[in-house]
Amino acid sequence: MVLPAMIARSKIFTIAMTMTFLLLQGCASVSYYAQSIGGQAELFFRQTPIDKLLENEAVDVATRHKLQLALELRRFSIEQLGLPDNDSYSDYADLERRYVVWTVFATEEFSLQPEQFCFLIVGCLHYRGYFSEAAARRDQKRLEAHGYDVFIGGVAAYSTLGWFDDPVLNTMLHWSDTYFARVMFHELAHQLLYIKDDTAFNESFADAVALIGVRRWLEYRGDEQGLALFQEEIDREQQFVDLVMRYRQQLQELYESGQDEAEMRLQKQHLFARMQADYQVLKSSWGEGGYDNWFKQGLNNARLASVSTYRKYTGDMLAIYAELGDNMSLFYDIMMTYGRCRAEQRHTLLGNRRISADC
């Protein structure tokens, strides 16, 4: 009988629509609600259990490898990292496009503080997501018409914070195994701990858990070469982030200088030109690889804000983890304690790298 399966899918669809509606931006337009509901529904309708796919001999070797890896990483995340035990990443969905969503960051012309977009349940975020690139581009034009610096980034994976079981997506399959692991651990960390209205804390926590998780996974596999390559990748990433943060500080000083807007506008462009030049010098020291795609669309405040938002407290959290003797359980306890603090207290504790059982 096919009726029970149809009923089950209908129930899942109804729940998905209801919860997606609750997760949407409270003050959004009807069109924003519609594209968000439609995008989440598409994921549900395209999902197939990975175990079932692996029984199909027609699945190509590269896809089969990534699907098997997803199941391995899921077990590891539960057993070794203490991340939520649910059915996330047990299904696969092919969306037939490069990204699942496009995020829009916006700042004022002379500010590095990203605009906030407020949602029910999840609170306020420093970006807004669209399942349609065209819709994201329309929002970009609207914001730019009001004088904002805007950055749009394609995103290959995201978390529903445990409301749904997130699937492996075709958008994730082109990554290296280590980056695939890093993103899975990152998104699962959001399910473990998420603080309303604090994007920097949430993304830094997920990033820290992901970095810890990949290192532990490579050590567990005895992959010394993989560890060395991963460390090289992280070192380069940190050099890139340091470059961004250095120029972010210089821009912040410019915007607080009290100069007239015409002069600030000119100096702003000079700083971005110098940043491009410094990046070329940095890249030449690496031999290969780099962040050319990040630079090629041009620099503005919003692009810098997207980096600082995701990395602001990662280093502080990793230092706290090391101070705790690499004890994952204690690390989670401390981060959850910070989560109960007021935002100002939480940020002070992190900035001082203070280990405390209370606020």
Side-chain angles (χ1 to χ4, degrees):
M1 296 284 293
V2 296
L3 183 59
M6 292 173 65
I7 292 174
R9 173 162 287 226
S10 176
K11 287 182 178 179
I12 291 172
F13 180 74
T14 300
I15 293 170
M17 295 304 94
T18 302
M19 294 310 302
T20 300
F21 183 84
L22 290 174
L23 289 168
L24 292 174
Q25 183 173 348
C27 59
S29 65
V30 172
S31 62
Y32 187 83
Y33 287 126
Q35 68 88 29
S36 298
I37 292 172
Q40 189 65 50
E42 181 184 17
L43 264 67
F44 274 93
F45 283 125
R46 288 178 176 263
Q47 287 182 32
T48 302
I50 290 176
D51 286 337
K52 184 176 181 179
L53 282 172
L54 291 175
E55 295 174 358
N56 186 348
E57 295 181 359
V59 176
D60 65 82
V61 174
T63 299
R64 181 178 297 276
H65 168 73
K66 279 297 194 292
L67 296 179
Q68 291 172 330
L69 178 62
L71 298 182
E72 174 191 333
L73 291 169
R74 194 65 189 95
R75 289 191 295 270
F76 182 86
S77 73
I78 296 166
E79 297 170 1
Q80 303 295 325
L81 302 180
L83 292 172
D85 184 356
N86 54 37
D87 288 329
S88 288
Y89 301 112
S90 61
D91 290 338
Y92 172 71
D94 186 349
L95 302 177
E96 300 179 358
R97 59 179 186 262
R98 185 178 179 185
Y99 299 113
V100 56
V101 294
W102 286 261
T103 55
V104 178
F105 288 81
T107 67
E108 293 182 358
E109 183 181 7
F110 302 118
S111 172
L112 291 156
Q113 179 62 36
E115 291 294 299
Q116 286 196 329
F117 303 97
C118 295
F119 299 74
L120 296 172
I121 298 179
V122 300
C124 296
L125 305 176
H126 287 163
Y127 52 85
R128 180 158 55 188
Y130 290 89
F131 284 94
S132 162
E133 182 178 9
R137 296 296 176 189
R138 286 194 294 272
D139 197 24
Q140 176 185 17
K141 290 181 179 179
R142 179 186 65 82
L143 289 162
E144 287 176 342
H146 285 82
Y148 287 94
D149 281 12
V150 183
F151 164 59
I152 291 181
V155 177
Y158 71 96
S159 172
T160 57
L161 307 182
W163 287 103
F164 310 117
D165 295 323
D166 301 320
V168 176
L169 302 172
N170 68 293
T171 55
M172 304 163 62
L173 299 187
H174 66 280
W175 293 331
S176 68
D177 287 0
T178 52
Y179 194 74
F180 186 87
R182 182 176 177 179
V183 173
M184 277 189 59
F185 297 154
H186 179 109
E187 303 303 346
L188 289 165
H190 282 314
Q191 296 185 15
L192 180 69
L193 177 60
Y194 181 88
I195 310 302
K196 288 182 68 172
D197 305 331
D198 200 337
T199 304
F201 176 88
N202 293 325
E203 296 302 338
S204 296
F205 172 74
D207 192 45
V209 171
L211 293 174
I212 294 166
V214 171
R215 287 194 179 98
R216 285 192 167 202
W217 174 62
L218 292 170
E219 289 169 355
Y220 178 81
R221 299 178 69 185
D223 188 352
E224 294 185 5
Q225 182 180 14
L227 273 169
L229 290 172
F230 182 63
Q231 187 59 54
E232 181 180 49
E233 175 186 324
I234 296 307
D235 289 344
R236 290 182 177 182
E237 180 179 290
Q238 188 58 55
Q239 291 175 47
F240 164 72
V241 172
D242 289 345
L243 174 70
V244 172
M245 298 305 288
R246 185 166 72 250
Y247 276 92
R248 185 185 186 280
Q249 179 61 35
Q250 293 180 46
L251 286 162
Q252 186 66 44
E253 292 171 0
L254 171 65
Y255 300 153
E256 294 174 354
S257 68
Q259 299 181 54
D260 64 75
E261 290 190 357
E263 181 61 25
M264 283 199 296
R265 194 169 290 119
L266 180 62
Q267 292 301 318
K268 174 182 177 181
Q269 294 309 312
H270 285 169
L271 284 171
F272 283 141
R274 283 170 47 194
M275 184 178 175
Q276 285 271 13
D278 283 356
Y279 164 68
Q280 293 302 323
V281 173
L282 178 62
K283 178 186 171 183
S284 67
S285 70
W286 295 339
E288 60 181 20
Y291 293 83
D292 291 359
N293 288 336
W294 190 85
F295 279 91
K296 73 178 182 180
Q297 296 181 36
L299 296 175
N300 62 25
N301 295 333
R303 187 171 288 272
L304 270 63
S306 70
V307 174
S308 60
T309 295
Y310 274 71
R311 301 288 189 272
K312 188 170 185 178
Y313 299 112
T314 301
D316 299 317
M317 291 180 179
L318 291 174
I320 290 170
Y321 169 74
E323 185 68 21
L324 293 168
D326 297 352
N327 187 309
M328 207 69 176
S329 180
L330 287 178
F331 175 70
Y332 290 154
D333 287 345
I334 294 299
M335 292 301 111
M336 289 178 182
T337 296
Y338 290 169
R340 292 189 290 271
C341 301
R342 295 196 309 273
E344 183 178 348
Q345 293 175 310
R346 177 164 57 248
H347 298 162
T348 299
L349 288 168
L350 284 169
N352 293 332
R353 300 184 176 182
R354 179 184 169 192
I355 299 173
S356 175
D358 56 47
C359 296

